[in-house]
Amino acid sequence: MEDLLIKLPKYNWFDGLMMFGGAGNIYTGSIGTDPKRGAVDANCFRYRVWLEKDENGEKSLIAAWYRGLECYAATDDEKINKKEFEGSQKGILQAQEWLLDSYNKGL
């Protein structure tokens, strides 16, 4: 079996302090960066995953990816690909698969 390039944390990690009214944790990563020099390739695959809570308190998992050198906050919205998943461990596995598929397809 091929080693995973993207392995997301368990649901409880994302939930963080949300159950106490605080914020959840945001997980970020990249493929194509150099450990010593950082992002040196404009084709670097960057991703970000987090939980969001709607007005009814329902949680959903958001996964986003883009290619480039800029950080997430400095990247134009039209360059970021986002998808919403169920706020659960199942949703995390689906998001992980979507990110891996997007990377492997070279999107």
Side-chain angles (χ1 to χ4, degrees), residues 33 58 77 100:
T33 56
E58 295 294 319
D77 284 342
L100 285 166

Side-chain angles (χ1 to χ4, degrees), residues 40-96:
V40 294
D41 182 357
N43 202 31
C44 178
F45 183 88
R46 296 175 177 267
Y47 58 93
R48 180 180 181 104
V49 182
W50 67 95
L51 279 176
E52 284 187 357
K53 194 184 299 187
D54 67 15
E55 61 278 350
N56 298 321
E58 295 294 319
K59 296 174 188 171
S60 59
L61 187 80
I62 309 298
W65 68 267
Y66 63 98
R67 291 190 179 271
L69 297 172
E70 300 292 332
C71 69
Y72 182 84
T75 302
D76 293 333
D77 284 342
E78 64 268 4
K79 293 182 180 179
I80 298 173
N81 300 280
K82 289 183 187 176
K83 190 168 181 180
E84 184 174 337
F85 299 90
E86 177 182 304
S88 67
Q89 187 60 38
K90 179 182 175 183
I92 290 170
L93 295 175
Q94 291 170 338
Q96 181 174 285

